[in-house]
Amino acid sequence: MTEKQTYYVSISGKRVEPEPSINDQLTVTATQAEISELQQLLDQIQRDDEKTQFRAPIPYKSADNDKATDKFNEDIIKVYEAVYALGTAETRDHIRQMNILNKLHDSDYDYPGYER
């Protein structure tokens, strides 16, 4: 069994660090494999973000029906789901207060890390 360690996740910085820094970070406890998976999700939102930035300066193009924006939104939710599942009690409380994970409100959702 692989030992879990404490890591600090900066979603805006799209990175996981072994030591806390001055940036806003969420604390998780995870194995190295779990952190690798989380970093892959963060890398994906970085790629999504790069795609959406090309549309941003076009004033007549709405983001309402933009596939790149939809993909970014879906992937950022995946990141928050992963951080919630690995997060400390304080991290989970913070994410609950953000009210961005609808799955936390669905009592029929039965996955580890999500409350009933």
Side-chain angles (χ1 to χ4, degrees):
M1 182 170 173
T2 305
E3 185 178 325
K4 292 191 176 216
Q5 297 180 8
T6 300
Y7 295 91
Y8 303 89
V9 181
S10 172
I11 294 177
S12 62
K14 299 169 186 76
R15 66 181 173 272
V16 178
E17 300 171 344
E19 299 290 328
S21 69
I22 60 172
N23 297 327
D24 288 337
Q25 295 176 317
L26 299 170
T27 307
V28 299
T29 304
T31 64
Q32 185 59 46
E34 291 168 329
I35 289 302
S36 293
E37 289 176 26
L38 179 56
Q39 186 61 58
Q40 288 176 8
L41 292 171
L42 292 166
D43 292 345
Q44 181 59 51
I45 63 170
Q46 176 63 38
R47 288 188 297 273
D48 294 345
D49 199 24
E50 291 167 0
K51 289 178 184 175
T52 60
Q53 76 179 345
F54 293 113
R55 186 214 31 86
I58 304 170
Y60 56 85
K61 179 156 174 71
S62 170
D64 293 343
N65 297 308
D66 185 66
K67 288 181 183 179
T69 300
D70 292 344
K71 176 82 167 113
F72 176 84
N73 291 341
E74 290 171 13
D75 289 340
I76 196 92
I77 293 299
K78 288 178 186 175
V79 168
Y80 276 103
E81 289 172 346
V83 171
Y84 186 90
L86 299 171
T88 61
E90 182 178 281
T91 294
R92 288 194 300 268
D93 284 343
H94 176 76
I95 292 173
R96 267 194 303 277
Q97 290 174 13
M98 292 174 70
N99 201 27
I100 60 170
L101 298 180
N102 293 331
K103 293 175 183 178
L104 296 178
H105 303 291
D106 183 355
S107 61
D108 292 336
Y109 205 78
D110 192 26
Y111 282 101
Y114 291 97
E115 298 168 359
R116 296 191 140 236

